[in-house]
């Protein structure tokens, strides 16, 4: 869990969409609806976990928060300022506060540059400090991620996977940001190294007051590190809840299926898997009504007609499900 969480909204998505045109064989164009109408607030100091199957739009949403890709529609508000309205120069200044840690700790680092050059590139781009100040900042940043200062003179291939990810974290922290998107930041690492990096990220959050959007497939890791968890399906947020509440009382049928797939650590403990039929529908042909209805065991006729909005439940959780909203969905303990 993260440390001090304020009620202040640091960054927010409002009605954000990202559609990609895809040309057909006869020249006709269809749209890939990668992110399809997301409203999501991230509070200062928290870690918001973002989970879902591959292709649901998690990484695209993370990049939209940083305006690394341009939204088709909607707004991204950082401290009340819409990032989509900023010009190139204004956005560059704003990006000092908004950074990302990538999944691949090797492919995301330039193999032709030393570690020092990779980290210090941020100072050069933003024209910050003298040569002496940049050298001091570089040493302090390496200290933050528990790397020796002589690492600045070495190249990425000389380090292990966990050390390379520390370099990636150092690069993200070089400008002292307040919001960091962690895009599968530990998925490429061994389990023992994962725990080291997660502990490091939590220590940095406590010490620097960071806010994280933590994107991952690993539900156990997400539960450990997150304050709240958002569940994404086919370009939409279908459930949003406090981490402990989501694992104890999953409200959406899709969330229940995800949690039922988590490995049980004890061989004698019974499991009740909820295997979803079929595959995730194509983002070029999103089903009418509830987009999860074709795979949902509880779906009724109305589910295929009405696209459910996120509704607030009595415990404060948000869920996009008609049955959960009106209380007709069976309790989660009966199906998971």
């Amino acid at each position: 869990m993260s440390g001090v969480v304020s009620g202040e909204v640091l960054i927010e998505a409002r009605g954000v969409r990202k559609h990609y045109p895809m040309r057909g064989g006869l020249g006709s164009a269809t749209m890939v609806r990668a992110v399809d109408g997301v409203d999501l607030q991230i509070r200062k100091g928290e870690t918001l976990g973002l989970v879902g199957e591959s292709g649901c739009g998690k990484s695209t949403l993370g990049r939209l928060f940083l305006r690394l890709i341009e939204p088709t529609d909607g707004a991204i508000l950082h401290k009340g300022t819409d990032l989509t309205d900023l010009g190139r120069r204004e956005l560059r200044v704003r990006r000092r506060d908004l950074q990302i840690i990538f999944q691949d700790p090797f492919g995301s680092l330039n193999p032709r540059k030393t570690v020092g050059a990779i980290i210090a590139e941020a100072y050069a781009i933003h024209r910050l400090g003298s040569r002496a100040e940049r050298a001091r900042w570089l040493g302090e940043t390496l200290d933050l991620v528990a790397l020796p200062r002589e690492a600045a003179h070495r190249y990425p291939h000389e380090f292990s996977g966990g050390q390379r990810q520390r370099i990636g974290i150092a690069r993200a922290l070089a400008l002292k940001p307040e919001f960091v998107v962690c895009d599968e930041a530990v998925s490429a690492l061994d389990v023992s190294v994962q725990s080291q990096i997660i502990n490091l990220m939590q220590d940095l959050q406590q010490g620097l007051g960071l806010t994280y959007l933590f994107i991952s497939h690993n539900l156990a890791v997400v539960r450990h590190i997150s304050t709240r968890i958002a569940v994404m399906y086919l370009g939409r947020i279908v459930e949003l809840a406090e981490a402990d509440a989501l694992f104890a009382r999953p409200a959406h049928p899709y969330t229940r299926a995800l949690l039922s797939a988590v490995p049980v650590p004890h061989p004698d403990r019974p499991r009740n898997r909820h295997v979803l039929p079929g595959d995730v529908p194509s983002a070029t042909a999103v089903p009418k009504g509830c987009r999860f209805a074709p795979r949902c065991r509880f779906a009724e006729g109305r589910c295929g007609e009405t696209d459910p909005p996120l509704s607030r439940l009595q415990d404060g959780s948000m869920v996009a499900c008609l049955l959960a909203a009106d209380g007709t969905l069976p309790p989660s303990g009966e199906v998971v």
Side-chain angles (χ1 to χ4, degrees), residues 139-151:
E140 292 172 351
T141 304
L142 289 171
D143 292 342
L144 279 176
V145 298
L147 285 174
R149 295 198 173 193
E150 56 267 25

Side-chain angles (χ1 to χ4, degrees), residues 20-32 284:
Y20 294 96
M22 185 176 69
R23 292 291 175 183
L26 299 177
S28 61
T30 57
M31 301 303 295
V32 178
T284 63

Side-chain angles (χ1 to χ4, degrees), residues 34-47:
V35 174
D36 199 28
V38 167
D39 296 291
L40 187 62
Q41 294 181 339
I42 303 178
R43 300 191 294 256
K44 186 174 182 178
E46 80 168 330
T47 298

